[in-house]
Amino acid sequence: MKIMACMLALAGMAVCYAAKATTPPGELFDNGWKFQLDAPQEASEVDFDDSGWRSVDLPHDWSIEAVPDKEAPAGNAGGYYPTGLGWYRKTFQYQLSPNKQFLYFEGVYMNSEVYVNGQLAGGHPYGFTSFRVDITPYLEEGANTIAVKVDNSAQPNCRWYSGSGIYRHVWLVEEPLIHFEHQGTFVSTLEASPDRAVVRVQSKLINEGIATYTGNVSIVLRLEGKTVARVQVPVTSRPEQTIDICEDITIDAPRLWSPESPELYEASLEGGIATAETRFGIRTIRWNSSEGFILNGKSILLNGSCIHSDNGILGAAAFDAAEYRKARLLKDAGFNAVRTSHNPPAPAFLDACDELGLLVIDESFDGWREQKNPNDYSIFFDEWYKEDVQSMVRRDRNHPSVIMWSTGNEVIERKSIGVITTARRLSDAIREEDTTRPITSALASWDRDWEIYDPLVEVFEIAGYNYLIQHAERDHLRDPRRVITQTESYPNDAFRNWAYCQDNDYIIGDFVWTGLDYLGESGIGKYYYVGDPRNSFHLADQYPYHGAYCGDIDLTGWRKPISHYREMLWNGTEDYMYLCVREPDGYHGQIKTTGWAVYPTWESWDWPGWEGKTAFVEVYTKAPEVKLYLNDRLVGTKQVDRSTQYKAVFEVPYEPGTLRAEASGQTRVLSTAGKPYAIRLSPESESMNASDVAFVVIEVIDKDGRVCPDAQVDVSVTVSGGSVQAVGNANLEDTGSYVDAQHTTWKGRALAVVRSSGKGGKCRLTVSSPGLRTASVSIANR
């Protein structure tokens, strides 16, 4: 039985509240697990002897603990990392309670089975959606054993590096018999202006007890810790009854959420012993072919990137700090949008997007019924698609950063008439949970059959084009109402794609493939030298290449020149300028690029042996004129405008020294470095939370503090007050272990990741290299 209560409430002044990230209302269950590969099925039993197993804390990815293996079943797509079958076990104490107990898993890759005291309690096949397991019927007073079987042995499945294991957080959630529905609270914006906003708060109060509850449901909205609205809803909740709560609440002078000003509110609900909390933002979205995408009443363009879910040298392990860093790197690179290709991300990533102001296309699946790989999601689709897509929507719909749902990517059955029914069913499943956002799907065609997809496009509010923006103008003539975003594009087409978006109101944005380098899909984005037999991702085995080099940002967090060029196009003014040098063709070999590659270009004026030969120097700017100097001699002057694609390219006979570019009062310099002299450490944060991580950039510098761009030296990392979680570089042909404390720098750079001891005090990291000055840095353990 359901009862609906809906009323309008008025609230007063609004101020800002820096709320905590949304988390399930329970105890973090990450620490104190034991792990073993290839354990027998008997590992599910309570009395199984796990004394020889390894102790691990979550999040945990066992694949990244190995090194790439040319014979690994995951192959080129999986980065040649081993997968297999693993078991996790944990024992905890439980005191009998009338409340229900759940384990909430943010993500397990994949085919998980959860046992409680030897009994199968639940599980989940898809590795990218969150799920929970009711463990109440299996618990006993005192010690209880949880065993989780994770089976990633059926390969190949994923088309990129997925990792293996319980790679996201786990929570132990206690739920009273009278409670608000799990992920049932939804806050949406009905209208918003600088003067007034109306938000709708919806939830479900469920009574699974034996007594009637009569009282009030209190709804409180806060901003920066101060109450801006409070509503009391009288309810009578009888046993086995669900009450739908629906309140429209007015807020005066709201602070609207946007990429420029990501203001966050908090909603809390309380009804007797039942409580629920969620963050939300106040913002409106709409879209049409004449105005484009409109956020808070203003048309904006989406300068987006696609990303996969791994965290580089950490593998798939979704540490909160790593997820935040991923969002921060994208935001700092000038992106205002991201597509979570091709699966729902970790919750911490969306929390970061909310806080930093990144707009998100939240994507559910890579494919539908027809397989791309023999063991991919197609084998689960019919049984699980609705539960999984609704799991994504219910979990993520309160994130103001999420502006669009995506149901899939380049589905194989796109020419089948049945694909339209599938697309409609997915869209209908989403709309059962959220009608406030548009739905898209990334479409592609590798032949001339493009216009036949018109009926499929009509299913979606926004059409996603993968690499097909060149069809947009013709499509607009055929269907003037169509709103288009390019959901994937080649990095090297940056100017063309920017221009399409600038010149056509019905094209709302472009999402480059990709924002960040990633593991798996080995060799995508690579450049190579003539004579390398591994010349193309699609045509040859790529080992030892174990990742994709198509990102604007590399595995260490260094922004490649294409990143600066893209930011200049989308965000730059006349005072934005960037200086770089194309690697001389023939310096290491004759250079060839592949489909997603950009010509290798560096922040370097170090080309020993190339003296007197031509080097191409590039300057990116919207200033009308650029002057370039070499060792204080004027090399030349170039005019820059849209016709030059906002690039000034100079041919310069190489000689060591200093390059200097000048434009509109701005100066940029590149100088030849001396010999390697010392290690320099740059921590990206001053502190880290318990069981979380911190990132430290390692650079090889000369006596004057300049990075030595060709330095390839061995470094050793030692840590006190914490532990080494990962060390690596951006060279995707380097198959050295990322979990060892030793690695080699590449292009004068590496990255260390340290993990907190959880005991307070300082974490001290020291990096040494033979013949170089050692460096140390401290990071506080919070």
Side-chain angles (χ1 to χ4, degrees):
M1 179 179 183
K2 294 187 177 182
I3 298 175
M4 173 68 76
C6 189
M7 58 187 68
L8 181 69
L10 300 179
M13 60 195 315
V15 290
C16 184
Y17 176 55
K20 293 182 179 179
T22 303
T23 56
E27 172 191 345
L28 192 61
F29 210 59
D30 282 352
N31 295 337
W33 292 82
K34 288 195 169 185
F35 170 75
Q36 181 66 41
L37 279 172
D38 299 320
Q41 183 64 33
E42 289 75 18
S44 65
E45 300 298 327
V46 175
D47 57 358
F48 182 83
D49 183 7
D50 60 13
S51 59
W53 289 23
R54 181 160 60 97
S55 295
V56 297
D57 294 332
L58 308 179
H60 176 245
D61 170 14
W62 79 68
S63 290
I64 202 65
E65 296 174 343
V67 295
D69 178 353
K70 188 175 183 180
E71 304 304 320
N76 195 70
Y80 301 98
Y81 280 92
T83 51
L85 183 149
W87 281 86
Y88 297 81
R89 286 171 57 90
K90 176 172 178 172
T91 299
F92 73 105
Q93 296 294 317
Y94 170 68
Q95 184 176 353
L96 288 179
S97 165
N99 297 334
K100 285 189 170 183
Q101 310 293 323
F102 294 86
L103 286 177
Y104 177 66
F105 294 85
E106 292 186 357
V108 182
Y109 203 90
M110 57 178 292
N111 285 319
S112 61
E113 297 175 3
V114 180
Y115 296 85
V116 181
N117 295 326
Q119 299 182 73
L120 180 63
H124 199 71
Y126 191 34
F128 292 118
T129 45
S130 303
F131 65 99
R132 72 175 190 164
V133 176
D134 184 354
I135 63 174
T136 313
Y138 314 101
L139 292 176
E140 301 172 354
E141 181 86 23
N144 290 264
T145 299
I146 305 294
V148 182
K149 178 182 179 182
V150 184
D151 189 352
N152 194 20
S153 60
Q155 294 291 333
N157 52 64
C158 195
R159 292 192 305 116
W160 55 92
Y161 179 85
S162 65
S164 304
I166 309 177
Y167 69 103
R168 295 179 184 166
H169 293 309
V170 179
W171 303 84
L172 178 62
V173 180
E174 184 171 12
E175 188 173 82
L177 296 181
I178 299 176
H179 58 272
F180 293 102
E181 184 184 40
H182 172 64
Q183 296 178 344
T185 300
F186 180 28
V187 185
S188 56
T189 303
L190 301 182
E191 61 179 85
S193 70
D195 299 323
R196 177 180 182 270
V198 179
V199 299
R200 173 165 290 174
V201 181
Q202 297 169 272
S203 194
K204 295 179 184 292
L205 183 66
I206 299 174
N207 188 339
E208 294 183 297
I210 61 174
T212 296
Y213 168 72
T214 300
N216 290 322
V217 169
S218 175
I219 303 175
V220 180
L221 305 184
R222 296 185 180 91
L223 187 62
E224 217 172 41
K226 296 182 180 179
T227 297
V228 299
R230 184 186 297 273
V231 177
Q232 300 288 334
V233 182
V235 297
T236 297
S237 175
R238 297 178 177 86
E240 305 303 319
Q241 186 180 60
T242 296
I243 296 178
D244 285 322
I245 305 296
C246 177
E247 296 296 316
D248 294 346
I249 302 174
T250 298
I251 298 175
D252 293 332
R255 295 189 180 179
L256 304 186
W257 187 97
S258 69
E260 299 75 28
S261 182
E263 302 284 356
L264 292 169
Y265 288 72
E266 185 180 66
S268 62
L269 288 76
E270 182 176 340
I273 59 175
T275 60
E277 291 185 353
T278 188
R279 284 199 314 190
F280 70 97
I282 298 174
R283 56 108 180 99
T284 60
I285 57 174
R286 56 187 179 89
W287 55 94
N288 60 63
S289 60
S290 60
E291 299 172 280
F293 188 85
I294 304 102
L295 176 69
N296 298 331
K298 297 180 180 179
S299 295
I300 66 168
L301 290 173
L302 306 180
N303 173 26
S305 78
C306 299
I307 60 166
H308 275 319
S309 57
D310 71 273
N311 282 304
I313 66 174
L314 286 169
F319 292 95
D320 288 354
E323 298 297 324
Y324 188 93
R325 178 181 190 260
K326 189 158 50 183
R328 177 181 56 78
L329 288 173
L330 295 172
K331 182 76 172 183
D332 289 349
F335 291 111
N336 69 356
V338 59
R339 172 181 171 229
T340 66
S341 43
H342 306 291
N343 53 264
F349 179 75
L350 293 181
D351 286 337
C353 292
D354 289 345
E355 295 166 10
L356 295 170
L358 269 176
L359 303 167
V360 178
I361 299 178
D362 202 347
E363 191 156 270
S364 54
F365 310 120
D366 183 31
W368 296 345
R369 284 193 171 90
E370 292 193 23
Q371 69 177 35
K372 297 180 179 180
N373 276 333
N375 299 290
D376 64 13
Y377 190 73
S378 63
I379 63 179
F380 306 119
F381 184 85
D382 284 328
E383 181 181 356
W384 285 91
Y385 80 87
K386 185 171 184 178
E387 181 172 330
D388 281 328
V389 76
Q390 289 187 335
S391 169
M392 173 187 75
V393 175
R394 288 170 65 83
R395 190 196 71 175
D396 298 346
R397 61 188 174 178
N398 286 321
H399 289 281
S401 58
V402 176
I403 57 166
M404 204 180 308
W405 306 115
S406 174
T407 59
N409 173 67
E410 299 176 0
V411 297
I412 298 299
E413 62 266 43
R414 54 187 173 265
K415 291 186 180 182
S416 166
I417 190 64
V419 75
I420 297 172
T421 299
T422 304
R424 286 174 178 166
R425 287 176 178 172
L426 282 163
S427 296
D428 289 345
I430 289 173
R431 293 186 185 106
E432 287 179 12
E433 304 295 341
D434 178 24
T435 60
T436 70
R437 295 171 172 90
I439 300 172
T440 189
S441 187
L443 306 178
S445 174
W446 309 123
D447 52 31
R448 296 184 179 181
D449 292 335
W450 172 244
E451 294 181 9
I452 66 169
Y453 302 133
D454 282 0
L456 178 58
V457 172
E458 285 300 308
V459 176
F460 308 111
E461 287 92 346
I462 294 177
Y465 285 32
N466 278 10
Y467 310 102
L468 293 171
I469 200 70
Q470 66 272 14
H471 293 307
E473 292 176 332
R474 186 179 64 196
D475 291 350
H476 180 65
L477 294 176
R478 191 174 69 256
D479 182 3
R481 297 172 304 164
R482 184 177 297 182
V483 180
I484 298 167
T485 185
Q486 185 161 235
T487 35
E488 287 183 27
S489 66
Y490 294 110
N492 211 31
D493 289 339
F495 178 82
R496 184 195 72 159
N497 298 328
W498 169 82
Y500 269 118
C501 295
Q502 295 292 319
D503 297 343
N504 300 281
D505 291 333
Y506 54 88
I507 303 176
I508 64 172
D510 173 62
F511 289 77
V512 67
W513 191 269
T514 55
L516 304 164
D517 285 353
Y518 58 94
L519 302 180
E521 287 193 297
S522 307
I524 281 186
K526 67 177 286 189
Y527 62 91
Y528 66 98
Y529 302 107
V530 170
D532 185 346
R534 300 161 298 126
N535 55 16
S536 174
F537 165 74
H538 293 292
L539 300 178
D541 175 81
Q542 297 294 314
Y543 183 85
Y545 236 98
H546 57 279
Y549 195 68
C550 53
D552 277 18
I553 302 166
D554 74 15
L555 286 191
T556 69
W558 180 71
R559 292 178 61 189
K560 303 173 189 176
I562 185 62
S563 171
H564 294 274
Y565 180 64
R566 194 180 316 281
E567 183 184 19
M568 179 274 301
L569 287 175
W570 288 86
N571 306 322
T573 58
E574 286 191 8
D575 61 357
Y576 189 106
M577 183 169 58
Y578 180 77
L579 173 65
C580 55
V581 180
R582 291 165 64 95
E583 180 180 314
D585 195 12
Y587 187 75
H588 292 297
Q590 186 179 352
I591 297 170
K592 298 291 183 181
T593 57
T594 55
W596 284 265
V598 175
Y599 192 94
T601 308
W602 310 99
E603 295 175 358
S604 172
W605 192 239
D606 287 71
W607 308 103
W610 202 254
E611 286 78 6
K613 299 180 183 179
T614 298
F616 289 87
V617 178
E618 297 187 346
V619 181
Y620 310 149
T621 184
K622 289 185 177 177
E625 183 178 89
V626 176
K627 294 181 182 293
L628 184 71
Y629 298 84
L630 174 59
N631 294 327
D632 293 327
R633 304 189 306 271
L634 179 65
V635 172
T637 302
K638 296 279 187 178
Q639 305 303 309
V640 179
D641 56 22
R642 182 165 172 160
S643 69
T644 69
Q645 299 187 3
Y646 299 110
K647 287 183 182 180
V649 181
F650 298 85
E651 297 183 29
V652 183
Y654 175 71
E655 66 178 64
T658 298
L659 280 175
R660 185 176 79 253
E662 295 181 352
S664 295
Q666 302 295 310
T667 300
R668 298 292 182 269
V669 171
L670 289 176
S671 295
T672 306
K675 294 181 179 181
Y677 173 74
I679 298 294
R680 180 168 65 199
L681 302 180
S682 301
E684 295 185 1
S685 57
E686 297 179 350
S687 61
M688 54 182 165
N689 292 328
S691 299
D692 213 337
V693 294
F695 295 81
V696 180
V697 174
I698 302 168
E699 293 173 307
V700 180
I701 59 173
D702 67 9
K703 285 188 176 181
D704 295 318
R706 294 180 292 239
V707 174
C708 301
D710 291 324
Q712 188 169 322
V713 303
D714 294 332
V715 294
S716 296
V717 179
T718 58
V719 173
S720 61
S723 59
V724 176
Q725 186 68 30
V727 182
N729 61 40
N731 181 8
L732 289 165
E733 292 186 278
D734 184 344
T735 58
S737 171
Y738 290 130
V739 298
D740 286 346
Q742 293 80 36
H743 216 84
T744 303
T745 62
W746 187 64
K747 302 295 182 183
R749 184 179 171 101
L751 180 69
V753 186
V754 295
R755 189 167 188 172
S756 171
S757 67
K759 299 178 180 178
K762 294 283 188 179
C763 174
R764 182 78 171 171
L765 177 142
T766 300
V767 179
S768 60
S769 181
L772 302 182
R773 179 175 290 183
T774 297
S776 297
V777 68
S778 292
I779 300 170
N781 285 309
R782 286 204 294 254

